[in-house]
Amino acid sequence: MGTTDDGEGLVIAGEEIGSRLIMGTGGAPSMHVLREALTASGTALTTVAMRRVDASARGSVLDVLAECGIRVLPNTAGCFTAGEAVLTAKLAREALGTHWVKLEVIADERTLLPDPIELVEAAEQLVADGFAVLPYTSDDPVLARRLEQIGCAAVMPLGSPIGSGLGIRNPHNIELIVERAGVPVILDAGVGTASDAALAMELGCDAVLLATAVTRAQSPARMAAAMRHAVEAGRLARLAGRIPKRRYAQASSPFEGLATS
Amino acid sequence: MRVIVNGKPRELPDGASVAEAVAAVTTAASGVAAAVNDEVVRRSAWAATELREADRVEVLTAVQGG
């Protein structure tokens, strides 16, 4: 038994991804800060959004990812309907040359929670069109199972709303999803600090996707390193098998042979 | 003729191609995709695809997000 990971890497849609920490790029104050954070995170897969070209934009996030040797994962952030998400995914495939997509179909701007009806509709269309679909979903175990049955390459339940930093509000549901899943489970959204990422892995998630917790931290590169260690620590703890929780103490020193007065 | 490129009206010569509409908003050589009236037009077909009056052209690229 090794003292590191068991050698089974993260495999999504038949391809091995070299890190269980998937990063987002949103919120970084500059490309320089983003580059430092991505490097410190050790990530091998990182999301970008698709938007109308802006001739005044300086520096490309694609250049940063290419320099760092990080695979790009386009998302459909900002889409409210299946139709918008499918078109955005197809544009991303054409622009970036990848058939992988982080599928986001949100219900409203206040909560940014997934719209499950539109999400399933978009997932069905994209899977049928040959995409490897990684859907951002609620922490509903039934919805996660339906997304897997449709043919999604992973399921990505939220811990709490995007950017909220509230951590994992329903660890029980995440465990239920993990128990039944036949595809990788990636905890997506809500991570606020390193212990949240560690908990996700302890619950049995295969990976963690986060952005804001790093990019808006006071020291993004330092927090990125913390997340890298947290994901590794949580993964090791999961593999190691934690002790059961007990109601009363269990002495770790023997009672025999005590000095008596 | 008048077409809508990324939400803004633009005057282009009659029979202008998708390539000309894209060139009106970006000089990027890669990492860009275009759709006309919600249908993706492959880059290889940009030059040969003619636009019509009132067509809606979307030209997207990757930005920080997610």
Side-chain angles (χ1 to χ4, degrees):
Chain A
M1 189 66 92
T3 53
T4 57
D5 205 331
D6 61 0
E8 291 176 30
L10 173 65
V11 177
I12 301 173
E15 295 190 50
E16 185 158 345
I17 303 299
S19 167
R20 293 180 181 275
L21 177 55
I22 302 171
M23 292 288 294
T25 53
S30 72
M31 292 295 174
H32 173 69
V33 169
L34 179 63
R35 185 184 286 107
E36 284 186 340
L38 291 175
T39 301
S41 77
T43 189
L45 181 65
T46 293
T47 67
V48 296
M50 299 300 298
R51 290 293 180 273
R52 288 171 171 171
V53 294
D54 176 1
S56 67
R58 292 178 58 83
S60 165
V61 66
L62 292 176
D63 292 340
V64 173
L65 296 183
E67 286 165 20
C68 296
I70 298 170
R71 181 174 179 148
V72 63
L73 175 63
N75 69 26
T76 62
C79 293
F80 289 89
T81 67
E84 290 171 5
V86 168
L87 175 59
T88 302
K90 288 178 177 176
L91 283 164
R93 178 169 64 183
E94 173 69 12
L96 307 178
T98 175
H99 67 290
W100 286 31
V101 63
K102 172 185 169 179
L103 178 61
E104 279 185 63
V105 192
I106 55 171
D108 65 75
E109 288 181 0
R110 191 170 71 88
T111 66
L112 299 179
L113 289 172
D115 182 323
I117 311 297
E118 297 291 325
L119 181 66
V120 166
E121 171 67 30
E124 285 176 336
Q125 290 185 35
L126 290 170
V127 167
D129 197 18
F131 280 87
V133 179
L134 290 73
Y136 163 66
T137 178
S138 65
D139 61 10
D140 176 357
V142 180
L143 179 56
R145 197 159 71 237
R146 289 292 295 269
L147 289 165
E148 180 180 343
Q149 287 167 349
I150 288 167
C152 290
V155 291
M156 306 208 297
L158 55 80
S160 54
I162 293 170
S164 70
L166 290 171
I168 300 174
R169 303 312 299 167
N170 195 338
H172 179 65
N173 270 20
I174 299 299
E175 283 184 308
L176 287 176
I177 292 171
V178 166
E179 278 175 24
R180 294 290 296 273
V183 294
V185 177
I186 302 166
L187 196 285
D188 181 5
V191 169
T193 188
S195 52
D196 298 329
L199 175 60
M201 300 304 289
E202 289 171 4
L203 293 171
C205 291
D206 297 283
V208 174
L209 196 166
L210 59 88
T212 307
V214 162
T215 58
R216 296 201 210 281
Q218 288 184 23
S219 172
R222 192 172 284 165
M223 186 60 87
M227 293 299 182
R228 175 185 198 159
H229 292 302
V231 167
E232 289 175 6
R235 168 78 178 164
L236 275 174
R238 172 74 178 187
L239 293 173
R242 62 152 296 152
I243 60 166
K245 292 180 181 177
R246 302 167 59 98
R247 186 167 174 82
Y248 298 109
Q250 181 183 34
S252 54
S253 304
F255 279 106
E256 296 78 27
L258 277 169
T260 53
S261 59
Chain B
M1 66 177 174
R2 175 166 288 203
V3 296
I4 309 295
V5 184
N6 282 353
K8 289 181 184 159
R10 280 187 183 269
E11 284 294 333
L12 291 179
D14 285 352
S17 68
V18 173
E20 288 168 72
V22 172
V25 291
T26 181
T27 55
S30 64
V32 172
V36 178
N37 302 332
D38 298 337
E39 290 291 332
V40 175
V41 179
R42 304 291 304 269
R43 175 179 278 267
S44 57
W46 284 358
T49 303
E50 283 190 13
L51 293 171
R52 285 178 293 196
E53 177 76 22
D55 273 351
R56 288 177 296 108
V57 184
E58 292 288 337
V59 187
L60 271 68
T61 191
V63 301
Q64 282 178 252

